[in-house]
Amino acid sequence: MSEKVEQIRPGRLSRKTSAYRYDASTESGRQDTKAQVAMNHNLSAKISNPLASIPRELLLGQVTRFSEWHGLCECIPLMRKGALIAQDPTGFEDIRGPEALDAEEIDTLRREITHKWKVPWLLYLTIVTCSIGAAVQGWDQEGSNGANLSFPAQFGIGGDSDHDILLVGLINSAPYIGSSLIGCWLSDPLNNFFGRRGTIFISAVFCLLTPLGGAITQNWQQFLISRIILGVGMGIKASTVPIFAAENSPASIRGALVMSWQLWTAFGIFLGCSANLAVSKVGRISWRLQVGSAFIPAIPLVLLILLCPESPRWYIKKGRYQDAMKSLLRLRNHPVQAARDLYSIYAQVKIEADAMGDSTYAKRLVQLFTIPRVRRATLASFVVMIGQQMCGINIIAFYSSTVFKEAGTSDFNALLASWGFGLPAIWTIDTFGRRSLLLFTFPNMAWSLLAAGLCTLIPKTSNVHVGLVALFVYLFAVFYSPGEGPVPFTYSAEVFPLSHREVGMSWAVATCLFWAAVLSITFPKILAAMGVLGAFCLYAGFNIAAFIMIFLWMPETKQHTLEELDYVFAVPTSVFIKYNTTKALPWWFKRYILWRPGVSLEPLYHFDEPDDITSRPPSIVMENLLAPVSDTGATVDTEESDRMPESQSSATATGADAVTIFSQAEREAIALRRYSWNGSNAHKHPAAEDAYPM
């Protein structure tokens, strides 16, 4: 303490802060390293708001300079309001001074909670467009289901030999091979250059042309190539559409809106089944019509994507803040919501950028497994995506007709039995927590598959044989629909930070589709060797294994903004597993097995309480005006001095002398605060003197 006091020199006044500085780093929104460390090692499981602890005057200064530097001068009053709302989202009615909200703005923010589904029509158009993209996926997938009954014979690969069986499986899995090995990995560079909209448009063109090409092929080699090229477009689309929907949606309804991917994938399967039925009796060209009809939903996708706003988070990532603001103004009900979201996203993205650093595509791939926060998201997305293959849904989607035929029905009745496969998903999609839905539905999918397999033991001559098999397959679909149906793509689009979102989603989708390809190739052999009963029992066991993996490694993401998830995935895996095995599991046993309704479960995640930012000054470091300037002059941190033990006061002339110096420093800083912002070398907003008092 004595050294600091003795080395204070008079001269010019310079104002510094211990955590936030009036320089370029301050205006870039850079916080102290505490937030950055928490992104990778959040032992306390706190979900922090990076703006919460910034003093009001400092925050207003930061957002003013941010707006000036990024061409948003006309939005400064709005941005200042938005920053204060982002700092304390629940205290917007208590804002005072020039930034106080008017009655319309307060009512808008209230209705955001009470009427969360009242959003601009452009947001709904965006989601509908994304949904059409999902329908393309489902229809493409189902086209091969019906074609399986006739194209093998026409191409001379319809025999029972291992060669023919593996070729049919290879053709069915070709879209997944193209997606997982090529299409998914093109998503990151395409998104980087063309944005979300441009990438979806490119994928839609693939999905428009390749089904038509597949319909006119003359041998199995040509058909295989056309299906691989189709897979390239499907992979690009599947890696981008859920991200596009998630980034444009508000947190309160993001899960429900992004879940539309699976709703419309199921609807696409339903439409594909309907098309298969409609043309099933037209003769030898029926399979060509079934494959080619998948181009139909790609037409509106190509057209509507051009009308949708680009992702504001992509604009922020590219430093295009004016475009991000324009996009948010189209996607939110009121400008004050757009300003709030813009600055809150920006603040967290800056922390992400500081923690992750600059990287190339190859480096980002490696960082999926090396940065702790990203590695946990990689593991969680792997679990949920591999779970979609372990549950057996894609096998049933591809081979439901074949399975029903094996169960003892005709070709047409096999198609008819699989016609309603996609229907349950249309009504059972919901917005429950992602993790809770999976933990509930996986055991139920296990027993329904087991029951469907056991029903094949009923004699084929019995009238109830096909009916019971179909019943339990439909029950399987009912449990799949709200759980492993919508969750994987919704979840994977959320969990990665913005810096790694494209490559992370590519990893997740490639994982899902690669194993779908493997299972599609091997399932005919499994079915031939084990029969329907053995195959269904095998996948029932896979469902139990997936349940255990989800319980141990998949955190919940419900009702958190995409930026808040940085802190969720900063919790070490060991802490997460320990909580679930020592607290969540015993609570579940007491609550639902022992039927003790009074037991409570302490949540793992909790929001960090904001500091009382109005009751303490910012940490200020001053040089004394009364001594000559020294190049090595020491500085005094008033916040640090407040924490000094009383025993250290004897090192100065008197304790009162130090207090006097600190008080004087604070008074001088307040008096010269405007000079700090609008000095002779600073760009000064013309209205700053009167409209934005500090």
Side-chain angles (χ1 to χ4, degrees), residues 28-31 321 345-355:
S28 297
R30 183 174 299 172
Q31 279 74 26
Y321 298 99
I345 295 169
Y346 161 79
Q348 185 62 41
V349 166
K350 288 303 296 180
I351 293 179
E352 285 184 12
D354 291 341

Side-chain angles (χ1 to χ4, degrees), residues 1-2 4-6 8 624 636-638 641-642 644 648-666:
M1 179 75 75
S2 61
K4 288 185 178 182
V5 174
E6 289 171 3
I8 292 178
N624 199 318
V636 178
D637 188 333
T638 62
S641 70
D642 290 340
M644 291 293 183
Q648 292 189 5
S649 64
S650 61
T652 65
T654 64
D657 292 339
V659 173
T660 300
I661 292 173
F662 300 145
S663 299
Q664 178 186 353
E666 290 187 29

Side-chain angles (χ1 to χ4, degrees), residues 196-255:
R196 312 288 190 239
R197 290 194 315 162
T199 302
I200 294 173
F201 178 83
I202 292 171
S203 69
V205 172
F206 271 88
C207 295
L208 175 65
L209 299 179
T210 50
L212 298 176
I216 61 175
T217 54
Q218 300 302 311
N219 52 57
W220 68 263
Q221 292 92 341
Q222 295 176 0
F223 191 40
L224 174 64
I225 293 172
S226 72
R227 302 295 286 175
I228 291 176
I229 297 174
L230 172 64
V232 173
M234 291 172 62
I236 297 171
K237 176 162 54 64
S239 300
T240 305
V241 168
I243 292 177
F244 185 55
E247 290 184 343
N248 284 354
S249 304
S252 59
I253 56 174
R254 186 183 66 242

Side-chain angles (χ1 to χ4, degrees), residues 349-365:
V349 166
K350 288 303 296 180
I351 293 179
E352 285 184 12
D354 291 341
M356 306 297 177
D358 296 331
S359 61
T360 62
Y361 182 27
K363 188 175 180 180
R364 288 194 297 274
L365 279 173

Side-chain angles (χ1 to χ4, degrees), residues 356-594:
M356 306 297 177
D358 296 331
S359 61
T360 62
Y361 182 27
K363 188 175 180 180
R364 288 194 297 274
L365 279 173
V366 175
Q367 288 173 341
L368 290 179
F369 308 96
T370 57
I371 296 179
R373 181 261 180 265
V374 183
R375 184 173 63 241
R376 297 180 192 111
T378 302
L379 175 61
S381 63
F382 171 81
V383 167
V384 75
M385 283 296 194
I386 198 69
Q388 191 170 71
Q389 304 311 315
M390 294 174 73
C391 79
I393 188 64
N394 282 307
I395 296 306
I396 292 179
F398 264 123
Y399 291 102
S400 57
S401 299
T402 305
V403 167
F404 284 125
K405 183 179 179 181
E406 287 290 322
T409 186
S410 65
D411 287 358
F412 182 80
N413 287 338
L415 280 173
L416 190 61
S418 63
W419 176 77
F421 164 72
L423 279 176
I426 298 174
W427 295 301
T428 56
I429 295 290
D430 210 341
T431 58
F432 296 111
R434 286 69 155 156
R435 174 181 168 87
S436 300
L437 282 170
L438 296 187
L439 292 178
F440 171 75
T441 54
F442 263 99
N444 286 291
M445 287 191 291
W447 73 255
S448 58
L449 275 183
L450 182 61
L454 292 174
C455 286
T456 61
L457 297 176
I458 300 174
K460 294 181 180 180
T461 56
S462 173
N463 294 330
V464 299
H465 177 89
V466 175
L468 285 177
V469 173
L471 171 64
F472 286 110
V473 168
Y474 292 154
L475 285 177
F476 168 85
V478 168
F479 290 121
Y480 166 84
S481 298
E484 192 60 23
V487 168
F489 285 86
T490 303
Y491 189 82
S492 299
E494 299 171 333
V495 297
F496 293 96
L498 183 59
S499 57
H500 292 67
R501 191 162 293 153
E502 297 93 340
V503 70
M505 189 64 178
S506 298
W507 151 265
V509 176
T511 297
C512 177
L513 300 184
F514 173 77
W515 289 105
V518 171
L519 294 177
S520 297
I521 293 172
T522 59
F523 184 75
K525 193 68 177 176
I526 293 174
L527 188 62
M530 303 178 65
V532 176
L533 174 60
F536 277 26
C537 290
L538 176 65
Y539 279 95
F542 285 164
N543 274 273
I544 298 301
F547 171 85
I548 296 172
M549 294 164 60
I550 289 164
F551 179 78
L552 294 177
W553 295 320
M554 180 188 164
E556 181 59 81
T557 63
K558 178 188 176 186
Q559 295 297 320
H560 295 303
T561 68
L562 296 179
E563 289 68 41
E564 288 171 351
L565 293 179
D566 283 335
Y567 302 98
V568 171
F569 284 92
V571 176
T573 304
S574 59
V575 174
F576 181 75
I577 294 176
K578 181 178 179 181
Y579 170 83
N580 283 291
T581 53
T582 62
K583 293 186 177 181
L585 186 60
W587 169 83
W588 183 88
F589 183 82
K590 293 175 183 177
R591 177 66 181 85
Y592 295 105
I593 302 299
L594 302 181

Side-chain angles (χ1 to χ4, degrees), residues 593-664:
I593 302 299
L594 302 181
W595 291 101
R596 297 180 183 174
V599 296
S600 60
L601 175 65
E602 176 188 354
L604 172 59
Y605 307 108
H606 55 279
F607 283 90
D608 195 5
E609 292 295 331
D611 296 334
D612 185 3
I613 59 176
T614 61
S615 64
R616 60 177 179 82
S619 177
I620 300 175
V621 178
M622 301 292 298
E623 292 177 10
N624 199 318
L625 292 171
L626 304 178
V629 176
S630 171
D631 293 337
T632 59
T635 57
V636 178
D637 188 333
T638 62
E639 187 175 50
E640 182 183 17
S641 70
D642 290 340
R643 297 190 298 267
M644 291 293 183
E646 292 183 2
S647 61
Q648 292 189 5
S649 64
S650 61
T652 65
T654 64
D657 292 339
V659 173
T660 300
I661 292 173
F662 300 145
S663 299
Q664 178 186 353

